[in-house]
């Protein structure tokens, strides 16, 4: 059996960071409804319940805004290792907390680490993967997130009957162990990003990293041809002459194109505000919007509060709601596997729009059943339609938005802003995730259908924006993606769309007057 290429092994190792996020997501909902945890925190209102769950998210949003700078300064590998180590410390505080305040502090620390490493995972894989495998490999973290959901839900299912605080402490202790192991493995086995090394003028180290990753020479050249030749630091004197073969391979240029493509000094990626420069801001705004709407679809409302949703639909025992939640996680994991394999066969734009319409319709149907009082705890088909609807929604999300949007947000960015812009987009994801986690239990307590209608409207709005502003990127090199954005008449902003409509209406009026 042939050993897989190094870039595949590195991508799989990197994707294990998604497993940590998935386990935490799978744990926190069931853990907070366990009887032992309720005894630990006392009677809490829905808003306090939401705060306990969501306290991880705002710190993650804040730290993700700086994760790109950390990854640019210290390297992708180091940024991932530092973030996952902080995450492990937070999980340790949760598992060993002696008061609810200490538990929340643990959530906050965990969030800081999560924000630092999670967005950088996709950036790293995007920078080492050959173009023909980029889609499949960059969906690896999402696949491992779904595996983590399965592990988290069933860990809580297995510990729920422990008649002590270990029923909820043990899942967090296991999570801390996973995180410490991942941080150490990242530093020991994950090669540095050759693109990052090139940007810092370390051509010799970049060549060694390419060899360790096992990227074929032809694919290596394609990847580096997509790399903008701007550098963070001038090359060191021992790197070699601009026209030497080694230098050409390291930078992806030759003597004939180097001077033509070298950007001015003002364009060097040493400022965080570069993400708002004229050639990058439209892509930054689109990535921020899409990553925010990914959460406003309601996916983490479903994942965090699956036991509550199933309980509301009529599954009354803790064991049955945990089991239903675990089954939903298995379904999510199962459908994410083919979605990952076929990621480069499906159009990003079309799958995002069709998946969004399906999710919006599913949420609308479930909300309408509750609004029409058709869901009863013990009788009728309404409750089973809701249970199946939750599964259908999760499946549609995983095969469309869960896979496509995170890839899209990273691959549309210029190289010099990719780390910063991708992590800012993840920050948007964290902020909206916080809002969803905070308001979902409140909405479920006040009205049985409000959350479903809210998520349906938000998802449909996102589909409209995608139809107007989202160019296709499937199968395109990063240079071709750059050209698609530069040539798009709509993506520059709503004002360009409005200008086009004014011109069109003006021509129609002239035709009528004539």
């Amino acid at each position: 059996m042939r050993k897989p290429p190094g870039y595949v092994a590195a991508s799989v190792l990197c994707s294990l960071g998604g497993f940590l996020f998935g386990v935490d997501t799978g744990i926190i909902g069931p853990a907070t409804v366990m009887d032992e945890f309720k005894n630990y925190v006392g009677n809490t209102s829905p808003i306090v319940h939401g705060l306990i769950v969501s306290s991880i998210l705002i710190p993650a949003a804040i730290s993700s805004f700086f994760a790109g700078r950390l990854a640019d300064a210290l390297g992708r590998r180091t940024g991932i290792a530092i973030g996952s180590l902080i995450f492990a410390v937070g999980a340790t505080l949760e598992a060993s907390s002696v008061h609810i305040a200490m538990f929340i502090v643990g959530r906050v620390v965990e969030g800081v680490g999560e924000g630092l490493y999670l967005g950088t995972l996709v950036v790293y894989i995007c920078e080492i993967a050959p173009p023909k495998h980029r889609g499949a490999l960059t969906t690896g973290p999402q696949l491992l997130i779904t595996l983590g959901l399965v592990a988290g839900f069933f860990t809580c299912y297995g510990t729920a009957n422990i008649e002590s605080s270990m029923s909820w402490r043990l899942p967090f202790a296991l999570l801390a162990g996973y995180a410490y192991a991942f941080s150490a493995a990242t530093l020991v086995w994950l090669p540095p990003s050759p693109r990052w090394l090139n940007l810092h003028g370390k051509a010799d180290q970049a060549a060694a990293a390419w060899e360790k990753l096992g990227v074929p020479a032809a694919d290596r050249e394609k990847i580096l041809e997509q790399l903008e030749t701007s550098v963070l630091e001038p090359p060191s004197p021992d790197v070699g002459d601009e026209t030497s073969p080694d230098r050409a391979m390291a930078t992806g240029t030759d003597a004939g194109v180097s001077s033509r493509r070298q950007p001015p000094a003002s364009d060097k990626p040493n400022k965080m505000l570069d993400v708002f420069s004229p050639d990058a801001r439209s892509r930054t705004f689109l990535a921020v919007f899409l990553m925010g709407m990914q959460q406003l679809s309601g996916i983490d409302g479903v994942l965090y509060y699956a036991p509550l949703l199933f309980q509301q639909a009529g599954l009354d025992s803790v064991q049955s709601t945990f089991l239903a939640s675990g089954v939903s996680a298995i379904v999510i994991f199962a459908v994410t596997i083919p979605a990952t394999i076929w990621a480069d066969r499906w159009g990003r734009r079309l799958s995002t729009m069709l998946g969004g319409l399906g999710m919006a319709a599913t949420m609308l149907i479930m909300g309408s059943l509750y609004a029409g009082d058709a869901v009863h705890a013990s009788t009728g088909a309404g409750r089973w339609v809701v249970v199946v609807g939750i599964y259908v929604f999760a499946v549609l999300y995983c095969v469309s938005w869960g896979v496509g949007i995170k890839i899209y947000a990273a691959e549309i960015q210029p190289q010099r802003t990719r780390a910063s812009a991708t992590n800012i987009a993840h920050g948007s994801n964290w902020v909206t995730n916080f809002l969803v986690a905070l308001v979902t239990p409140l909405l479920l307590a006040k009205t049985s259908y409000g959350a479903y209608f809210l998520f349906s409207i938000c998802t449909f709005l996102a589909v409209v924006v995608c139809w107007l502003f989202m160019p296709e990127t499937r199968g395109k090199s990063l240079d071709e993606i750059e050209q698609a954005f530069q040539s798009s008449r709509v993506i520059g902003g709503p004002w360009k769309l409005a200008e086009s409509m004014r011109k069109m209406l003006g021509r129609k009026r002239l035709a009528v007057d004539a």
Side-chain angles (χ1 to χ4, degrees), residues 74-297:
L74 301 180
R76 316 311 192 207
R77 176 181 65 179
T78 305
I80 293 169
I82 291 173
S84 54
L85 179 62
I86 295 172
F87 180 95
V89 172
T92 302
L93 290 174
E94 290 173 275
S96 60
S97 65
V98 296
H99 190 274
I100 186 58
M102 183 176 174
F103 184 87
I104 293 176
V105 168
R107 299 289 291 165
V108 171
V109 173
E110 194 178 325
V112 171
E114 199 167 71
L116 287 177
Y117 85 82
L118 196 59
T120 309
L121 299 178
V122 177
V123 173
Y124 176 87
I125 297 173
C126 191
E127 291 183 347
I128 68 168
K132 61 184 177 181
H133 300 306
R134 189 175 67 226
L137 291 177
T138 51
T139 57
Q142 178 63 30
L143 178 63
L144 269 292
I145 287 173
T146 61
L147 180 60
L149 287 172
V150 175
F153 277 126
F154 278 103
T155 298
C156 289
Y157 179 75
T159 63
N161 289 328
I162 299 176
E163 295 182 357
S164 72
S165 64
M166 286 302 293
S167 60
W168 60 267
R169 292 184 191 274
L170 182 57
F172 289 107
L174 293 172
L175 175 60
Y178 303 150
Y180 285 121
F182 174 71
S183 180
T186 298
L187 286 176
V188 173
W189 289 306
L190 195 67
S193 166
R195 284 188 163 196
W196 180 84
L197 292 170
N198 275 319
L199 287 172
H200 284 76
K202 301 177 181 179
D204 293 339
Q205 295 180 40
W210 283 126
E211 290 299 322
K212 187 173 182 179
L213 289 167
V215 177
D219 286 329
R220 187 185 312 178
E221 192 168 353
K222 288 179 183 178
I223 294 172
L224 288 173
E225 282 174 356
Q226 298 164 6
L227 175 62
E228 296 171 5
T229 57
S230 59
V231 294
L232 288 173
E233 299 170 1
S236 39
D238 60 345
V239 169
D241 188 84
E242 185 91 1
T243 59
S244 69
D246 289 342
R247 175 65 175 165
M249 176 59 73
T251 60
T253 63
D254 56 43
V257 299
S258 178
S259 60
R260 175 172 57 84
R261 295 187 63 192
Q262 184 69 26
S266 60
D267 286 342
K268 290 181 181 180
N270 55 3
K271 295 181 180 179
M272 194 169 182
L273 291 180
D274 274 355
V275 296
F276 302 114
S277 60
D279 67 316
R281 63 189 174 205
S282 61
R283 283 173 273 185
T284 299
F285 291 149
L286 182 60
V288 167
F289 176 82
L290 290 176
M291 289 292 283
M293 298 308 291
Q294 189 184 48
Q295 291 302 329
L296 288 177
S297 68

